[in-house]
Amino acid sequence: MDDDELIAAVAGGDDVALRELFSRHAPWLAARLSRMLAVDAVEDVLQETFLGVWKGARGYRPDPSRPDGAGAGAWLWGIARRQAALWARRNRPPETLPPPAQADQHERALARIELDDAVAGLGAADRELWRLLYEEDRSVADVARAMGIPEGTVKSRAHRARRLLRAALGGQW
């Protein structure tokens, strides 16, 4: 079964389908979450994510332009991002005498989640450019070759993406 069919089965109460969905997607979700959260938080957030999948599977609508179930990954990541934000807010240290390292860790996690949300709002080409340039730390020349565009276009799109993200994040970046 593809992911869309698995989610439909989960919506019907099939816990085997949920386990299959978990085994397919938990590794990459955990890897992305670990960039935002402490290692001990990732497992909690993954559990909450798949609990959210169980509860929300009836509301999932497959993307007809992606008949291979590829839209399910974006849906799962959206749930995971929301769960990570909720976890970070729930586990924020008290405002009175917060341990600096722990407070900084939570603030970084929230900032990373907000940045990921803002990046998700970019167009597909700009998201890909952002991923290659800033997440994979590739050179402008490498990104230009990978995307089949001139280096100057990479630079101007990166500048525009940074400007849009800065505006989306309220100037905090």
Side-chain angles (χ1 to χ4, degrees):
M1 285 197 275
D2 70 16
D3 290 339
D4 290 339
E5 293 168 330
L6 284 173
I7 294 170
V10 170
D14 185 347
D15 61 337
V16 173
L18 182 66
R19 281 195 291 269
E20 175 62 25
L21 206 58
F22 182 89
S23 68
R24 285 184 191 181
H25 294 280
W28 72 265
L29 286 169
R32 287 191 76 180
L33 288 168
S34 68
R35 293 185 308 170
M36 300 180 214
L37 300 169
V39 175
D40 59 331
V42 171
E43 186 176 331
D44 292 341
V45 171
L46 273 177
Q47 289 176 354
E48 291 297 322
T49 297
F50 282 92
L51 180 61
V53 168
W54 181 258
K55 291 177 178 178
R58 286 194 175 113
Y60 174 73
R61 300 290 173 259
D63 183 350
S65 67
R66 301 177 89 171
D68 58 353
W75 181 71
L76 290 165
W77 177 240
I79 295 170
R81 265 194 345 251
R82 283 188 296 280
Q83 292 302 326
L86 288 171
W87 185 92
R89 287 185 185 103
R90 271 193 317 263
N91 293 286
R92 181 180 293 184
E95 294 302 320
T96 58
L97 304 173
Q102 190 177 10
D104 289 347
Q105 176 184 4
H106 282 85
E107 290 305 315
R108 282 193 311 270
L110 285 173
R112 182 60 197 198
I113 292 164
E114 289 170 0
L115 177 63
D116 278 357
D117 285 344
V119 169
L122 296 174
D126 287 341
R127 278 193 314 271
E128 179 64 7
L129 183 133
W130 184 268
R131 184 183 68 76
L132 293 171
L133 198 59
Y134 296 108
E135 292 179 15
E136 292 187 9
D137 198 27
R138 291 191 183 184
S139 69
V140 169
D142 285 345
V143 173
R145 274 192 300 279
M147 295 185 74
I149 57 176
E151 289 182 28
T153 304
V154 170
K155 292 176 186 178
S156 63
R157 284 185 184 174
H159 176 75
R160 185 183 71 232
R162 286 191 308 270
R163 191 180 70 241
L164 291 170
L165 291 172
R166 196 173 297 115
L169 295 168
Q172 64 184 347
W173 287 79

